[in-house]
Amino acid sequence: MYSRWTLALTQLCFQKVFRRGTLMEIIDIIFYPSIVATGAAVVGLFASREWKSLSKEMELYELGKVAYVMTIVWAAIAWQVFSVGLVGLIFEVSSLF
């Protein structure tokens, strides 16, 4: 989860680097870290050879393969909505509030 330092640094970034506060700047501050995190997760998945056991893990999931995939997809969507909301909140009010 986000720490108070991350929130304060995000606000400082808005004040010092992104001065206009346009929607594109907000999207940039969300999009690029998400791409880096996704890349790191994919590299870690393949480096650890964990991808070989994904089909077995899906089969062992009690609710089935479709439910497994839907759980992963909706968790990712929920995390992105949270990130957009958090950055929007920091943009509108002080994170030090």
Side-chain angles (χ1 to χ4, degrees):
M1 200 56 122
Y2 284 89
S3 69
R4 60 187 163 145
W5 298 107
T6 305
L7 300 176
L9 288 173
T10 303
Q11 181 183 0
L12 180 66
C13 186
F14 272 128
Q15 290 174 348
K16 301 295 181 183
V17 179
F18 302 116
R19 296 194 177 174
R20 293 182 311 228
T22 63
L23 179 63
M24 285 307 296
E25 290 176 342
I26 294 172
I27 291 172
D28 286 345
I29 206 167
I30 296 168
F31 181 73
Y32 293 116
S34 295
I35 291 295
V36 170
T38 300
V42 169
V43 167
L45 182 70
F46 285 106
S48 68
R49 301 186 189 270
E50 191 74 23
W51 61 274
K52 292 180 178 180
S53 65
L54 282 179
S55 61
K56 181 180 177 184
E57 186 175 329
M58 288 170 66
E59 289 173 9
L60 294 176
Y61 193 67
E62 283 183 23
L63 301 176
K65 288 183 180 182
V66 174
Y68 180 86
V69 172
M70 292 300 287
T71 300
I72 300 297
V73 167
W74 284 107
I77 290 171
W79 187 255
Q80 289 303 313
V81 169
F82 167 77
S83 296
V84 170
L86 184 65
V87 171
L89 182 67
I90 291 170
F91 180 71
E92 291 296 323
V93 292
S94 171
S95 67
L96 303 174
F97 180 68

